[in-house]
């Protein structure tokens, strides 16, 4: 029986801390009852207990989606590929899918919270919290596996699902179960093709969105010293445009969902537009800061051929080959100006307007920009001294890692 429970149960230390915290809270609750001559039907100190149960359900969902995942543990995945394991056999470290033990653990948390709960509607949401955390953590596995369709379906679904919490009980739970089903179907497909698609998995989470498997292999290829220094320098990499479109839409969805959740929680009509009006100046500041980061990244050690004074003296106010790097500024200024007019005049449906502004500005920065490698190689720029004879931070870090691995293997 103990072995059956230990299949998915966290470490004994964490279980012990959880039991100790629950017993401490209940001891304070009994002391509070004793001091009130056992007349207090609802113990205020049970609010921390219920908060602890919610946090534990969320943490357990993260644990279940990460501790047994061969996609988030590179050493586990590499070892698994050297074994005869195939889909249909149990994973050596434990099941990735949810099993009956998970149901009993979550049900146990619900039962603990049903003893004199201050907010019963909060306790019955514990299964939702667990599945939400599990699905949220599963997104990172699909990023590592470069399974973009499932990743974006889960991301958009999790962004919108909290809105259903304000509907009668059952709507949000059905939605999160559907998202878990999508996640498990994605896991099933990846595990079936694990031996074949292993080379497409990323070895570094930062690489997966920015480059494909072939480009990553070129960056991480272990040729050894001095061949890594003698090979041609790799071109700079950039976020693919379709990823830029999806991320911009995801940012807008997250922003609008946040406004909707705050509006529904307040129960006051028109609050969503009021919040959008109040946050619009800060949103504009963040957009311009993001443009500044983009500009610094693009023009690092690639300076303009003429200074502003030189352009005025020579009459070359516009240098198309170089100035196209500033093209996102035109779209950002246009969109922000149109949205600012609505903000100044207190226009209707400003929450939708500000969301559209955020999405379009995100696309200007992530989609409608010149290709970094093409622009640096073809623009009439002045190469700064920092770009000569110097590896990028990414290449230097990877080179150091490769040298250490070759030294240890030798």
């Amino acid at each position: 029986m103990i072995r059956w429970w230990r299949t998915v149960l966290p470490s004994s230390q964490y279980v012990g801390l959880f039991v100790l915290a629950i017993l401490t809270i209940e001891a304070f609750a009994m002391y509070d009852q004793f001091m009130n001559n056992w007349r207090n039907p609802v113990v205020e100190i049970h609010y921390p207990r219920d908060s602890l149960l919610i946090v534990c359900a969320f943490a357990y969902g993260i644990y279940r989606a990460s501790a047994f995942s061969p996609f988030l543990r590179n050493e586990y995945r590499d070892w698994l590929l050297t074994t005869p394991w195939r889909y249909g056999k149990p994973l050596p470290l434990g099941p990735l899918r949810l099993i009956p033990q998970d149901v009993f653990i979550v049900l146990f948390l619900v039962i603990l919270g049903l003893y004199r709960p201050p907010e019963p509607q909060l306790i019955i949401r514990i299964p939702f919290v667990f599945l939400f955390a599990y699905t949220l953590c599963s997104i990172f596995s699909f990023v590592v596996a470069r399974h973009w369709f499932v990743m974006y379906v889960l991301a958009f679904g999790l962004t919108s699902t909290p809105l259903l919490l304000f509907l009668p009980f059952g709507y949000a739970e059905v939605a999160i179960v559907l998202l878990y089903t999508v996640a498990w179907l994605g896991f099933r497909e990846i595990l079936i093709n694990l031996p074949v698609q292993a080379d497409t998995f990323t070895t570094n989470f930062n690489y997966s969105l920015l480059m494909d498997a072939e480009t990553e292999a070129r960056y991480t290829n272990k040729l050894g010293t001095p061949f890594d220094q003698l090979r041609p320098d790799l071109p700079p990499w950039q976020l693919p445009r379709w990823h830029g479109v999806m991320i911009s839409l995801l940012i807008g969805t997250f922003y609008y969902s946040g406004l909707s959740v705050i509006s529904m929680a307040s129960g006051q009509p028109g609050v969503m537009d009021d919040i959008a009006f109040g946050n619009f100046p800060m949103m504009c500041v963040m957009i311009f800061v993001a443009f500044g980061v983009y500009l610094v990244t693009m023009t690092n050690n690639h300076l303009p051929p003429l200074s502003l004074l030189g352009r005025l003296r020579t009459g070359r106010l516009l240098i198309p080959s170089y100035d196209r790097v500033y093209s996102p500024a035109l779209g950002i200024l246009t969109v922000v100006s149109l949205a600012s007019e609505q903000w100044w005049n207190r226009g209707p449906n400003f929450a939708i307007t500000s969301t559209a502004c955020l999405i379009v500005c995100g696309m200007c920065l992530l989609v409608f920009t010149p290709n970094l490698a093409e622009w640096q190689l073809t623009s009439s720029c002045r190469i700064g001294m920092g770009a000569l004879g110097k590896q990028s931070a990414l290449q230097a870090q990877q080179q150091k890692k490769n040298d250490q691995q070759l030294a240890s293997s030798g």
Side-chain angles (χ1 to χ4, degrees):
M1 186 65 179
I2 296 178
R3 188 175 181 180
W4 186 80
W5 277 105
R6 290 298 301 168
T7 304
V8 294
L9 203 63
S11 174
S12 302
Q13 293 88 340
Y14 297 107
V15 176
L17 286 175
F18 169 74
V19 173
L20 180 61
I22 290 294
L23 291 178
T24 302
I25 293 175
E26 288 300 330
F28 276 106
M30 293 180 66
Y31 175 76
D32 179 76
Q33 289 282 63
F34 175 75
M35 296 301 295
N36 289 279
N37 296 322
W38 308 96
R39 296 175 182 174
N40 189 7
V42 178
V43 184
E44 294 293 334
I45 204 169
H46 279 167
Y47 280 107
R49 182 204 62 186
D50 294 351
S51 301
L52 176 64
L53 294 176
I54 295 293
V55 171
C56 288
F58 189 89
Y60 182 64
I62 296 293
Y63 164 78
R64 279 294 284 116
S66 59
F68 305 102
S69 174
F71 313 111
L72 298 181
R73 304 174 66 175
N74 294 335
E75 296 82 2
Y76 178 31
R77 183 176 68 244
D78 295 340
W79 171 81
L80 192 62
L81 292 172
T82 63
T83 67
W85 183 88
R86 291 296 181 267
Y87 179 78
K89 303 293 183 180
L91 284 170
L93 295 187
L96 183 58
R97 62 180 176 84
L98 300 183
I99 56 177
Q101 288 92 316
D102 298 305
V103 177
F104 284 108
I105 291 174
V106 175
L107 185 61
F108 175 71
L109 296 177
V110 174
I111 293 174
L112 286 178
L114 290 178
Y115 174 68
R116 292 185 174 178
E119 299 289 343
Q121 64 272 19
L122 188 65
I123 298 301
I124 61 177
R125 299 294 187 180
I126 286 180
F128 172 86
V129 173
F130 165 72
L131 287 177
F132 186 90
Y134 179 92
T135 312
L136 178 65
C137 188
S138 299
I139 291 178
F140 297 98
S141 295
F142 293 112
V143 172
V144 171
R146 291 188 168 94
H147 204 308
W148 303 121
F149 176 76
V150 176
M151 190 274 286
Y152 280 117
V153 168
L154 295 179
F156 281 100
L158 291 177
T159 304
S160 307
T161 300
L163 296 175
L164 301 178
L165 291 173
F166 297 94
L167 297 178
F169 178 79
Y171 287 91
E173 284 68 23
V174 170
I176 201 65
V177 168
L178 291 177
L179 288 178
Y180 165 73
T181 304
V182 172
W184 173 238
L185 290 176
F187 280 138
R188 180 178 180 273
E189 180 180 352
I190 299 174
L191 290 172
I192 290 175
N193 300 319
L194 181 61
V196 179
Q197 298 181 351
D199 293 338
T200 64
F201 292 172
T202 183
T203 57
N204 189 311
F205 187 80
N206 297 326
Y207 296 163
S208 55
L209 285 173
L210 297 172
M211 59 183 79
D212 54 19
E214 181 180 354
T215 306
E216 181 181 347
R218 294 171 60 198
Y219 269 93
T220 58
N221 190 21
K222 303 179 181 65
L223 300 178
T225 305
F227 302 106
D228 285 329
Q229 289 82 2
L230 295 176
R231 68 182 178 184
D233 194 16
L234 297 173
W237 35 265
Q238 191 174 12
L239 186 71
R241 299 188 188 280
W242 74 273
H243 272 308
V245 173
M246 299 304 293
I247 291 175
S248 300
L249 293 173
L250 187 60
I251 292 173
T253 304
F254 180 79
Y255 175 75
Y256 189 80
S257 297
L259 294 178
S260 301
V261 167
I262 297 175
S263 176
M264 291 180 179
S266 65
Q268 300 177 5
V271 170
M272 187 161 62
D273 285 341
D274 293 337
I275 297 173
F277 280 120
N279 291 335
F280 182 72
M282 181 58 66
M283 187 181 76
C284 292
V285 171
M286 295 177 63
I287 289 173
F288 287 117
V289 168
F291 175 74
V293 173
Y294 152 81
L295 203 59
V296 170
T297 303
M298 292 286 288
T299 60
N300 184 29
N301 294 317
H302 292 75
L303 309 176
L306 291 175
S307 64
L308 180 59
L309 182 59
R311 296 191 186 207
L312 294 175
R313 294 181 64 178
T314 59
R316 297 180 62 189
L317 301 179
L318 184 64
I319 306 175
S321 64
Y322 185 87
D323 291 343
R324 55 184 174 148
V325 73
Y326 302 118
S327 58
L330 298 177
I332 291 175
L333 290 175
T334 301
V335 174
V336 171
S337 299
L338 294 175
S340 298
E341 181 183 1
Q342 293 291 319
W343 174 73
W344 183 261
N345 295 325
R346 305 285 294 187
N349 300 322
F350 188 73
I352 299 177
T353 303
S354 59
T355 302
C357 173
L358 187 61
I359 293 175
V360 175
C361 289
M363 289 186 180
C364 289
L365 291 173
L366 300 177
V367 181
F368 305 116
T369 57
N371 181 270
L372 180 59
E374 178 186 352
W375 178 81
Q376 290 184 350
L377 294 173
T378 60
S379 64
S380 55
C381 59
R382 289 185 294 116
I383 304 297
M385 294 300 296
L388 300 178
K390 182 179 179 181
Q391 285 183 317
S392 67
L394 174 66
Q395 291 173 324
Q397 180 184 7
Q398 187 62 44
Q399 178 62 41
K400 182 179 179 181
K401 181 179 178 181
N402 292 347
D403 291 342
Q404 290 175 350
Q405 292 180 349
L406 288 174
S408 61
S409 62

